[in-house]
Amino acid sequence: VPLKTLMGLDWPQAVYVAGTLVSPLLHLLALFAFLWAIRPLFDDRGLVLAGLLFAAQFYLAFQFATGRPDHHGLILLLDIVVIGLALRLLGPRPDFMHALAAGLTAALVIWVSVEGLVITGLLLSLLAALWVWRGAQATMPGWVTAASLCLGLLAALALERPLDEIGAVSPDKISVLHIGYA
């Protein structure tokens, strides 16, 4: 819509230009998300090197190729954000907002594709291990993340499915099945 209105393109041209530009834009956002995600692990020189290595990955370049507007680039971007939030939850004082954001981002990546169950399973396993390792002081991140994940999945389900299909089970798109996994 912005391309159509601001640049005066007709609908086919606007969709073509948007489809061509969306993957490189996601690649740039993924690079910034990656640098943010690994910030707790590296100093500035390490971040520069990691950013260069990230940008040079053939697999990533293929996922974010110009003119390849599919969901894999968005999944990678959201996975990186979940990993960054998980790293922040490992700190000595996990933040409530990081836990909330981790659950909501995990719900979003599952909504984009059920492939998001992999990173969500890793996130929840990490939080369970953190709870076992640290005890009662680590319960807040797990509960908040799980609750926000379930609420995010419920919201996605309400937006995705008509009311008469709300209880339908479908393994390949958001359904009550995925809330059960969470």
Side-chain angles (χ1 to χ4, degrees):
V1 172
L3 291 172
K4 181 177 180 348
T5 56
L6 295 177
M7 297 180 70
L9 302 175
D10 62 7
W11 279 113
Q13 290 174 325
V15 170
Y16 175 77
V17 171
T20 302
L21 297 178
V22 71
S23 289
L25 178 62
L26 286 175
H27 196 182
L28 186 63
L29 290 173
L31 173 63
F32 289 133
F34 176 72
L35 294 173
W36 166 82
I38 64 170
R39 184 73 181 140
L41 305 175
F42 294 100
D43 61 5
D44 289 341
R45 288 183 7 197
L47 283 176
V48 169
L49 180 61
L52 290 172
L53 291 172
F54 180 88
Q57 294 291 317
F58 175 74
Y59 176 76
L60 292 177
F62 177 71
Q63 295 304 317
F64 295 111
T66 302
R68 186 178 191 263
D70 72 359
H71 65 289
H72 290 102
L74 181 58
I75 292 169
L76 284 169
L77 171 61
L78 294 172
D79 284 352
I80 291 167
V81 172
V82 169
I83 290 168
L85 290 165
L87 286 173
R88 281 152 179 80
L89 291 174
L90 287 174
R93 286 197 194 142
D95 186 7
F96 175 85
M97 293 307 290
H98 288 142
L100 181 69
L104 292 175
T105 307
L108 181 60
V109 75
I110 292 171
W111 188 16
V112 169
S113 173
V114 294
E115 297 166 76
L117 289 169
V118 174
I119 195 70
T120 303
L122 291 172
L123 171 67
L124 295 176
S125 298
L126 173 77
L127 291 171
L130 187 64
W131 173 67
V132 169
W133 182 38
R134 291 191 182 159
Q137 69 181 17
T139 56
M140 182 277 298
W143 279 108
V144 172
T145 301
S148 62
L149 171 63
C150 288
L151 288 174
L153 289 174
L154 283 170
L157 186 63
L159 291 169
E160 181 81 18
R161 299 273 186 157
L163 282 177
D164 59 335
E165 293 181 22
I166 206 86
V169 174
S170 176
D172 60 343
K173 72 181 208 178
I174 194 77
S175 72
V176 293
L177 179 67
H178 300 102
I179 296 170
Y181 289 150

